[in-house]
Amino acid sequence: METLPLHHQQFLKKLNNQLFIILLLMVACFFTWSENVNITRAIKVVGRMGVMISSILIYFKIIRYGSINSLEYKNIFSPILYICYLILGFISFSWSTNPGFSALQWFMTFQSFVFAYFFVKSLKVLDVYFEGHNIRLYHLLGNTVFVLQLVFVIGMWINPDVFFRLTDGGEEARLGGTMMNPNELGMLAGVGSACLIFDLYRFKKKVWTIIKIMVILYALFMTGSRSSLIGVLLIVFFHINQTKQKTLKFAIIALVAMVAPFAVYTVILKGGDQERLEEIMSLTGRLPFWQALITEGLPREPLLGFGFMRIDYKEFFQSAHTYPGKMTHNTFMQVLMNLGFIGFTIVLFQVFFTVKSILSEQKELKLMLIGILIPIVINSFTEFGIFGESNYGIMFYQIIIFSIAFRNNNHLTRWQKIILKKKRPDLFAD
């Protein structure tokens, strides 16, 4: 960063703040900040639209300041298959059992898709034309998660009635309240932890980063999310295996050794309560629900499903032996029900090519994307997930898709060279 001219440094510093703000606002717009339905809809639809437009403006701001659009596509099967999934979802409005609901869910998914495209493209252009800049996706996303989790940690002490959600007949209080599903909040904590660990590698002064991670992990513990805790433990062990810094490795192992046994016993095993353990074995009733979906629901519309984000002809699916559910609590089951075997096949191949592409990337990007992928995939097996109803896990997955979809074209056209030389003569200096 210090090697860049002063005016570039000032531009990049301001840009870093702007990228952080729009990412923070985009993720925050997924929360239910008000009990007023109209206010919530305005935030989730209109608010996200404003942030999406902001991401487009920032991208073109970078282009105008000192770069050109010289990016080309790679690993095209991942984004193309995701677009095929969106196209099929759009067409499904014609047979959806509730076209209005399907359209709203599809529109919000498309909003985050466009946001992710321009947000990641902005970062990729910076990598090409501002070599040495310190704007990093993991830093932006990690700080975004920290700020949001800090709001909930402070809120749980100031106003516990709002920030806690009572479950199991009022016996258990879980952080999230009416604003966010505790399991989704836990997944967000997992993503934040995965991102901030990279700041431990990058920054010499690690105390502030460790404090951020501890706040996030405390929030995760208070959500009581078993799946998210498992995700974080996997992320930690993944980084233990990757790092060559012996001091950092020992510190991580020592921290896990102190915290993990208590966390696993309290969150996952629920203090050894026998009834709760039996509940866990059925994934809190999810297993019989999934079985009923496959045996009773799927045969009704096997090929194309019930329409985007619809799982039955009615608002809720209910079997004689299961609870009523509006969504499947499994993102792959959700696709199977709302877009049938055709949609399910598209999604399976899309995930395959995404993972394959991640594993072929350079080390830092690969480790970062795997770290983000772990908590959102685990969440996908028990909650909304990456192909479920609108949630920030979808946006994170879309960011992953575009993070592996761009590369620079070093062979510029004559016109591109003329434009770039006019904007950035420093790049052509001998």
Side-chain angles (χ1 to χ4, degrees):
M1 182 75 170
E2 287 75 12
T3 60
L4 292 168
L6 181 61
H7 61 284
H8 287 344
Q9 293 182 36
Q10 293 172 342
F11 170 76
L12 290 169
K13 184 177 180 180
K14 184 177 180 180
L15 189 69
N16 185 45
N17 293 333
Q18 292 172 341
L19 288 169
F20 168 69
I21 290 171
I22 67 168
L23 183 60
L24 175 64
L25 290 176
M26 191 62 171
V27 178
C29 282
F30 285 94
F31 288 75
T32 305
W33 296 108
S34 173
E35 294 181 1
N36 186 297
V37 176
N38 293 325
I39 294 176
T40 298
R41 286 177 179 172
I43 292 173
K44 291 193 173 186
V45 179
V46 180
R48 271 185 275 190
M49 178 62 76
V51 178
M52 182 196 78
I53 294 172
S54 297
S55 70
I56 298 172
L57 294 176
I58 284 179
Y59 168 72
F60 284 106
K61 177 181 179 180
I62 297 170
I63 296 296
R64 286 195 307 272
Y65 177 82
S67 59
I68 58 172
N69 181 18
S70 61
L71 299 179
E72 61 181 12
Y73 295 101
K74 65 174 184 175
N75 301 320
I76 59 172
F77 287 114
S78 177
I80 283 178
L81 285 169
Y82 194 88
I83 291 171
C84 289
Y85 159 73
L86 288 177
I87 291 173
L88 181 61
F90 182 82
I91 297 172
S92 76
F93 299 169
S94 61
W95 67 78
S96 172
T97 56
N98 187 337
F101 180 78
S102 293
L104 178 62
Q105 288 293 321
W106 187 92
F107 180 69
M108 290 192 289
T109 300
F110 184 73
Q111 273 184 327
S112 61
F113 182 76
V114 175
F115 172 84
Y117 175 84
F118 284 101
F119 189 86
V120 173
K121 201 171 185 181
S122 296
L123 296 176
K124 294 295 184 180
V125 168
L126 289 175
D127 289 341
V128 175
Y129 294 103
F130 296 91
E131 189 176 355
H133 76 91
N134 59 10
I135 301 175
R136 295 290 182 270
L137 174 61
Y138 55 77
H139 187 67
L140 295 170
L141 191 49
N143 282 336
T144 293
V145 174
F146 167 70
V147 170
L148 291 170
Q149 298 286 5
L150 185 63
V151 170
F152 277 79
V153 168
I154 294 173
M156 62 181 264
W157 292 105
I158 296 176
N159 196 343
D161 292 337
V162 172
F163 285 88
F164 275 113
R165 176 181 299 191
L166 297 178
T167 60
D168 297 296
E171 294 181 3
E172 183 180 11
R174 301 179 64 185
L175 188 63
T178 58
M179 288 175 282
M180 180 54 63
N181 180 304
N183 291 325
E184 297 294 310
L185 190 63
M187 179 267 284
L188 184 65
V191 170
S193 301
C195 291
L196 286 177
I197 284 175
F198 280 91
D199 278 348
L200 290 177
Y201 297 139
R202 188 166 66 135
F203 294 144
K204 292 182 179 179
K205 296 181 179 180
K206 306 180 189 301
V207 176
W208 179 228
T209 302
I210 292 173
I211 291 172
K212 292 179 186 177
I213 293 174
M214 294 303 294
V215 169
I216 291 173
L217 293 180
Y218 176 65
L220 167 63
F221 176 76
M222 297 307 296
T223 65
S225 175
R226 295 181 289 264
S227 59
S228 300
L229 177 60
I230 292 171
V232 167
L233 291 176
L234 288 175
I235 291 167
V236 169
F237 287 120
F238 175 74
H239 279 281
I240 289 173
N241 289 329
Q242 296 297 324
T243 183
K244 294 180 181 179
Q245 300 180 33
K246 292 184 179 180
T247 304
L248 180 60
K249 181 179 288 190
F250 176 77
I252 294 174
I253 293 174
L255 182 63
V256 171
M258 288 188 297
V259 175
F262 173 73
V264 170
Y265 181 74
T266 306
V267 177
I268 297 179
L269 300 180
K270 298 299 181 183
D273 188 310
Q274 188 62 36
E275 292 184 5
R276 301 296 299 281
L277 288 174
E278 292 175 359
E279 180 185 273
I280 292 170
M281 296 305 293
S282 69
L283 296 179
T284 58
R286 287 176 175 83
L287 289 179
F289 185 67
W290 295 339
Q291 183 179 5
L293 283 169
I294 293 174
T295 58
E296 299 176 32
L298 183 60
R300 300 171 192 164
E301 299 289 348
L303 286 180
L304 292 169
F306 296 94
F308 196 73
M309 295 306 138
R310 302 290 295 166
I311 66 172
D312 202 353
Y313 298 120
K314 305 181 294 294
E315 286 300 307
F316 292 85
F317 172 87
Q318 183 173 13
S319 172
H321 305 290
T322 66
Y323 58 80
K326 194 174 182 180
M327 63 104 169
T328 63
H329 290 279
N330 182 305
T331 203
F332 301 103
M333 187 77 70
Q334 186 81 6
V335 174
L336 186 61
M337 297 303 296
N338 69 61
L339 295 178
F341 280 109
I342 293 176
F344 184 70
T345 302
I346 292 173
V347 160
L348 284 184
F349 278 103
Q350 197 283 324
V351 173
F352 169 77
F353 282 111
T354 299
V355 174
K356 183 175 180 292
S357 300
I358 290 172
L359 296 176
S360 67
E361 289 293 335
Q362 53 89 9
K363 185 176 180 181
E364 182 183 76
L365 180 60
K366 177 174 67 175
L367 295 182
M368 178 188 69
L369 296 182
I370 290 175
I372 296 173
L373 192 64
I374 287 173
I376 65 175
V377 167
I378 289 177
N379 175 267
S380 295
F381 285 106
T382 56
E383 289 297 334
F384 300 98
I386 55 180
F387 295 104
E389 292 184 13
S390 180
N391 69 94
Y392 40 61
I394 294 174
M395 187 186 71
F396 297 151
Y397 187 64
Q398 292 164 340
I399 287 175
I400 290 174
I401 291 172
F402 289 121
S403 294
I404 56 173
F406 295 115
R407 67 182 169 201
N408 186 48
N409 182 1
N410 294 317
H411 303 289
L412 302 180
T413 65
R414 184 183 177 189
W415 183 244
Q416 285 178 322
K417 290 179 180 178
I418 292 173
I419 294 174
L420 186 60
K421 190 170 185 178
K422 184 178 180 181
K423 293 179 181 179
R424 297 286 304 280
D426 56 297
L427 294 177
F428 294 85
D430 293 331

